[in-house]
């Protein structure tokens, strides 16, 4: 996967990971991939809802230890 931008939101709680992702996506071109690394367990469902609401595609979600990794494709 060709990640174009990665943001680290470890230690931040809802809604900060979503807000930072929204800001990062605004600066990206359509089709580019954004990787978000979070530690907030609620971010799994938060990013699913965010993708549905905004039309951005949630390409992948995975849990690695205590970290949650989300990959979004800019609409």
């Amino acid at each position: 996967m060709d990640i174009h931008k990665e943001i680290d939101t470890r230690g931040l709680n809802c809604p900060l990971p979503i807000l930072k992702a929204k800001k990062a996506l605004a600066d990206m071109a359509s089709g580019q991939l954004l990787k978000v690394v979070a530690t907030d367990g609620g971010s799994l469902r938060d990013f699913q809802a965010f993708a549905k609401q905004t039309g951005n595609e949630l390409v992948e979600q995975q849990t690695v230890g205590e970290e949650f990794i989300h990959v979004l494709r800019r609409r």
Side-chain angles (χ1 to χ4, degrees):
M1 228 183 314
D2 191 17
I3 303 294
H4 296 89
K5 188 182 264 190
E6 181 172 339
I7 57 173
D8 181 357
T9 64
R10 287 178 275 215
L12 300 177
N13 292 322
C14 180
L16 289 173
I18 292 288
L19 293 174
K20 288 189 174 284
K22 186 175 182 180
K23 186 172 188 243
L25 285 165
D27 294 336
M28 295 170 66
S30 182
Q32 289 188 320
L33 295 176
L34 171 67
K35 178 179 178 182
V36 182
V37 181
T39 50
D40 179 10
S43 68
L44 289 170
R45 70 173 181 279
D46 291 345
F47 275 95
Q48 290 167 7
F50 174 74
K52 279 190 185 124
Q53 289 172 351
T54 61
N56 294 298
E57 179 190 355
L58 186 58
V59 178
E60 182 179 281
Q61 282 188 309
Q62 58 181 331
T63 304
V64 180
E66 295 182 8
E67 295 180 347
F68 305 96
I69 298 167
H70 315 279
V71 179
L72 293 153
R73 183 182 314 276
R74 171 83 159 91
R75 64 174 155 76

